[in-house]
Amino acid sequence: MADHRLPENEIALDWLTSMTLIRRFEERAGEQYARGKVGGFLHLAIGEEATIVGAVAALRPTDYMIATYRSHGQALARGSEPGRVMAELFGRVDGLCRGRGGSMHMFDRERRFMGGFGIVGGNLPLAAGFGLTSDYLGSDDATLCQFGDGATNQGTFGESLNLAALWRLPVVFMVTNNQFGMGTSLERHSAQTDLQRKGEGFGVPGMECDGMDVIDTWAVTKEALRIAREERQPVLVEAINYRFRGHSIADPEDYRTEEEVLAWSKRDPLVTFGDRLVAEGVLSDEQRQAIDLEATETVDAAVAFAEASPEPQPSSLYDDVYVLSDQVRGWYSADHRGAELRKGEELS
Amino acid sequence: MAEMRYREALNEALAEELERDPNVYLMGQDIGVFGGAFKVTAGLMERFGEGRIRDTPISENTIVGIGVGSAMTGLRPVVELMTINFSLLALDQIINHAAHMRYMFGGQVSVPIVVRMPQGAGHQLGPTHSHSFEALYLHVPGLLVAVPSTAADAKGLLKTAIRDDNPVIFIEHESLYSQRGEVPDDPDFTIPFGLAAIRREGTDVTIIGISRMAQTAERAAEQLAAEHGIEAEVIDPRTLRPLDLDAILESVAKTNRCVIVEEGWPHGGVGANLAALIGEQGFDDLDAPVGRVTGVDAPMPYARTLEQIAFPHEQQVIEATLALFGDRRRASRG
């Protein structure tokens, strides 16, 4: 890892604020899950905040960002309202996706956050598709696609990297190597453990960043985006990090030792970055506490917002199955069983 | 009207839509330099350039996925998969992504992609290259499914598919590409989805034919009239989602009998679905159980003698129809 100077004070504080918000949001989401407010699976990004914030900070607002089923943090970093992210976890109408997607499927079109995706490796072709649109329309928008180390073993990894290189698409593929594909450690799931090299055979050069360091992640991602945008050369960036919690909330974590978790926790990106800002005089201890308090208050408000948001109406069950037009007049017109029971879209 | 082959009608539809909308582009294996495995896209690369007629590597899931991604962000891709058999490699992008994206993200995005591909048996290509999968795609909410059986329908439905904002599975048939038919000249000619075609009018029985089987059903109906005095009404639904169930129920209300003919497997097939719908909504009109003629419940064999009895021909349609008239035949013999 390069020894980077701090960015301007305002930017440094902004990054710390963003990472703190993600941490407190994820902790609260875990609590709400334990209380039964959140259903399904819940994959938390605690420990991975620097990878998220550093990468998103390198993007322009018009660039496309796409991620995985672990993507509350990406939505928050991209600027989605915390209340709407929490409301999505609660399955409420004010959720980012109106309660249709849940934890694994966040999406915020306005902010060009193009989704969390539940299928490992499923988002790489989509990212190449965004790159194709940018290329086709002659814009200089770029795409950042994050996926886990496990996804590098999927067919779509090789297929998408090959096509992106072949067609010179402006896409940065970022593998967030958090050391485990669910509960299977890197050396037990990938013959090539130096993941940044996995794109070489497809014509995609690799770069590496310290995913526990927000500045390094930002600097490397920014350079990778420049190469993709200006040289029309896709890049594979490996961000090495660690998730402090299990794969999901339902993970007993039998596959790793407490010592290992403890060793990594000494590199907690929130602590190390905050300590450095204090040490270099950018931040006082009081300000640091204030940032934390503000994040907690934001998350409190997000939970209150989600609690207050209504449950979706049963009559909305068939909304948005199709784009309606003269030829598709409602869900039931696509499958004609009992129109009276399945109005849905016509009512809304 | 102009007479042209089914493949030429498809080519014309693609050319007209490429001309009409600069965001329409084509992508698939061997569609450019080679002109398409079945020559549907012949000449289009020369006319529209490599940026819009894109040859791809053999990566079905990713080709469809790139199409989905580009459709989410403003383009209108028409992806050709060489045959429907290979679409199995792209099921994740078709079902988990194209079909569900809009719903999953609360209506924030639409996916106006067309996935074109031919299906069908009869060319001795064995189990992996002879599939008919309209039932598989019919199963999935979020997809529209078209199964054109004539040159005019191929053109009119493909233009509608490209203009529609939903993902469309557009199923052509390998045995139809060389068939000729009359096609309207009007460049604005389109056929709406969800509108069945009555291929032959009749009063005694309704025969519904899916994809190529609409033609098999029509030929069987002529024989039924000539040899058995049975006047069959032949319906080609043309699209399975949306489905023109009204036209089917109206016909069954008139004929009181129904046979469904498809090339795919019987279990969970299109016929099974239609028979259930007719049973639920037209039970009082039926004088006999709904009959089904399907491909056999086995993988498709290579040997010609076996292959030819493994998917429906006129004779099976005639036998299934006559079976619904058991009483009348006994009466006429008596």
Side-chain angles (χ1 to χ4, degrees):
Chain A
M1 160 194 147
D3 199 10
H4 300 283
R5 284 174 29 195
L6 285 180
E8 289 171 32
N9 289 1
E10 197 182 322
I11 292 170
L13 292 174
D14 194 39
W15 291 354
L16 182 68
T17 303
S18 187
M19 288 199 293
T20 307
L21 174 63
I22 294 170
R23 175 69 57 90
R24 299 297 167 245
F25 184 97
E26 295 287 67
E27 288 168 347
R28 190 65 59 86
E31 287 169 28
Q32 297 300 316
Y33 188 85
R35 289 182 187 178
K37 296 283 186 185
V38 180
F41 292 144
L42 185 71
H43 305 89
L44 301 178
I46 291 172
E48 303 191 31
E49 296 89 348
T51 305
I52 297 167
V53 171
V56 169
L59 292 167
R60 297 176 182 172
T62 51
D63 287 339
Y64 296 105
M65 165 88 194
I66 182 167
T68 68
Y69 47 82
R70 193 188 307 283
S71 70
H72 316 153
Q74 281 82 352
L76 294 171
R78 210 61 178 137
S80 301
E81 289 169 41
R84 298 199 60 203
V85 182
M86 192 66 82
E88 188 62 31
L89 298 183
F90 279 47
R92 304 299 174 91
V93 293
D94 295 304
L96 277 182
C97 301
R98 301 170 64 202
R100 303 302 180 77
S103 169
M104 296 194 285
H105 309 112
M106 295 290 172
F107 193 92
D108 193 338
R109 167 141 206 164
E110 267 177 57
R111 293 171 179 83
R112 291 204 170 176
F113 174 54
M114 304 304 284
F117 288 88
I119 304 296
V120 171
N123 64 344
L124 282 91
L126 303 177
F130 306 156
L132 179 61
T133 296
S134 300
D135 194 60
Y136 192 96
L137 299 178
S139 87
D140 69 347
D141 301 335
T143 293
L144 176 66
C145 175
Q146 287 188 330
F147 49 91
D149 44 287
T152 64
N153 301 315
Q154 284 282 28
T156 50
F157 174 81
E159 293 180 7
S160 298
L161 265 62
N162 176 58
L163 260 159
L166 188 69
W167 290 354
R168 307 194 67 84
L169 302 177
V171 182
V172 172
F173 296 97
M174 175 179 273
V175 50
T176 59
N177 175 7
N178 67 14
Q179 320 299 322
F180 297 97
M182 201 161 134
T184 304
S185 61
L186 179 62
E187 62 277 7
R188 292 180 64 234
H189 76 62
S190 183
Q192 171 57 276
T193 54
D194 191 2
L195 295 183
Q196 59 157 323
R197 295 193 56 194
K198 263 185 141 170
E200 283 172 7
F202 302 109
V204 178
M207 297 171 77
E208 185 183 301
C209 68
D210 180 353
M212 303 302 271
D213 180 337
V214 66
I215 311 178
D216 195 51
T217 303
W218 169 81
V220 172
T221 309
K222 197 165 172 59
E223 173 60 8
L225 282 164
R226 186 198 65 73
I227 294 168
R229 200 188 313 274
E230 294 176 12
E231 298 173 21
R232 314 311 272 188
Q233 167 65 63
V235 180
L236 176 64
V237 175
E238 179 184 5
I240 298 172
N241 69 10
Y242 199 79
R243 59 171 156 73
F244 294 161
R245 294 285 181 90
H247 168 74
S248 74
I249 290 285
D251 176 359
E253 298 184 64
D254 292 336
Y255 51 84
R256 60 186 187 183
T257 62
E258 279 179 40
E259 290 75 28
E260 181 182 308
V261 179
L262 193 66
W264 275 93
S265 70
K266 290 187 176 132
R267 299 189 49 215
D268 185 326
L270 215 58
V271 175
T272 56
F273 190 57
D275 284 353
R276 184 170 170 195
L277 294 186
V278 172
E280 297 198 21
V282 176
L283 185 69
S284 68
D285 283 329
E286 292 74 31
Q287 281 173 308
R288 192 178 185 178
Q289 282 172 10
I291 286 173
D292 211 320
L293 190 63
E294 192 190 329
T296 303
E297 284 169 2
T298 302
V299 173
D300 286 345
V303 170
F305 176 84
E307 288 272 22
S309 177
E311 305 268 1
Q313 288 294 312
S315 64
S316 72
L317 186 58
Y318 295 97
D319 285 2
D320 297 318
V321 176
Y322 290 97
V323 180
L324 302 186
S325 68
D326 285 350
Q327 61 180 356
V328 182
R329 295 187 183 85
W331 182 84
Y332 61 81
S333 75
D335 188 346
H336 207 298
R337 287 171 298 173
E340 72 283 0
L341 296 175
R342 292 179 161 82
K343 283 186 176 161
E345 297 192 301
E346 274 210 334
L347 289 176
S348 64
Chain B
M1 294 288 246
E3 196 191 77
M4 64 179 76
R5 295 181 196 277
Y6 184 94
R7 69 158 61 82
E8 293 162 346
L10 291 164
N11 183 282
E12 239 185 46
L14 292 168
E16 287 172 12
E17 294 307 299
L18 283 158
E19 195 69 58
R20 194 182 62 83
D21 182 349
N23 287 339
V24 172
Y25 77 97
L26 275 46
M27 177 165 54
Q29 291 156 28
D30 279 318
I31 66 164
V33 173
F34 195 85
F38 295 94
K39 299 294 175 197
V40 171
T41 52
L44 295 179
M45 180 185 264
E46 290 78 358
R47 186 166 160 197
F48 295 98
E50 288 189 44
R52 298 186 70 196
I53 313 296
R54 307 180 78 97
D55 277 323
T56 69
I58 303 168
S59 307
E60 283 83 2
N61 200 27
T62 289
I63 294 164
V64 173
I66 289 180
V68 173
S70 68
M72 291 166 73
T73 45
L75 303 187
R76 302 189 84 86
V78 182
V79 173
E80 174 177 310
L81 297 181
M82 198 175 284
T83 72
I84 204 165
N85 308 290
F86 313 140
S87 74
L88 295 180
L89 291 154
L91 279 186
D92 177 51
Q93 286 299 330
I94 294 174
I95 297 175
N96 277 319
H97 296 85
H100 296 341
M101 191 87 70
R102 180 175 177 78
Y103 191 83
M104 179 161 85
F105 296 142
Q108 292 181 79
V109 71
S110 58
V111 186
I113 187 176
V114 179
V115 180
R116 292 180 41 240
M117 48 202 173
Q119 68 174 12
H123 298 93
Q124 287 196 270
L125 297 172
T128 66
H129 278 58
S130 305
H131 289 299
S132 290
F133 278 139
E134 58 269 73
L136 179 63
Y137 292 108
L138 166 63
H139 192 56
V140 184
L143 298 178
L144 301 184
V145 181
V147 283
S149 73
T150 68
D153 286 359
K155 181 174 180 187
L157 291 171
L158 183 53
K159 285 168 71 86
T160 301
I162 293 170
R163 295 179 192 189
D164 193 89
D165 285 332
N166 294 289
V168 177
I169 300 299
F170 196 88
I171 302 176
E172 299 159 13
H173 199 291
E174 288 181 31
S175 298
L176 298 180
Y177 281 130
S178 295
Q179 273 197 14
R180 291 175 186 281
E182 292 290 325
V183 179
D185 295 320
D186 180 3
D188 285 325
F189 161 69
T190 59
I191 296 173
F193 277 31
L195 185 66
I198 312 289
R199 300 292 185 206
R200 183 185 194 280
E201 293 198 2
T203 51
D204 298 332
V205 60
T206 300
I207 306 180
I208 303 168
I210 311 300
S211 181
R212 165 170 64 159
M213 290 298 128
Q215 296 191 358
T216 304
E218 220 178 321
R219 289 192 298 271
E222 294 304 327
Q223 282 192 45
L224 281 164
E227 295 166 19
H228 302 277
I230 291 172
E231 292 298 332
E233 182 144 292
V234 177
I235 296 183
D236 177 354
R238 303 199 285 195
T239 60
L240 301 175
R241 270 190 193 250
L243 175 69
D244 191 354
L245 188 59
D246 291 339
I248 292 168
L249 292 174
E250 218 169 275
S251 178
V252 172
K254 180 171 70 175
T255 64
N256 310 119
R257 288 178 173 81
C258 185
V259 175
I260 302 152
V261 192
E262 67 183 308
E263 201 172 318
W265 295 310
H267 291 284
V270 178
N273 189 50
L274 287 180
L277 291 170
I278 294 165
E280 283 164 7
Q281 300 193 32
F283 184 73
D284 290 343
D285 291 323
L286 290 170
D287 286 348
V290 174
R292 286 191 292 152
V293 182
T294 70
V296 297
D297 195 19
M300 188 57 63
Y302 161 74
R304 185 165 173 77
T305 45
L306 294 177
E307 185 186 35
Q308 285 300 317
I309 58 170
F311 68 93
H313 293 71
E314 291 82 336
Q315 194 52 38
Q316 286 105 310
V317 181
I318 290 166
E319 284 165 15
T321 306
L322 292 176
L324 304 184
F325 291 90
D327 291 338
R328 190 158 108 185
R329 281 203 297 161
R330 269 199 297 279
S332 68
R333 273 201 299 277

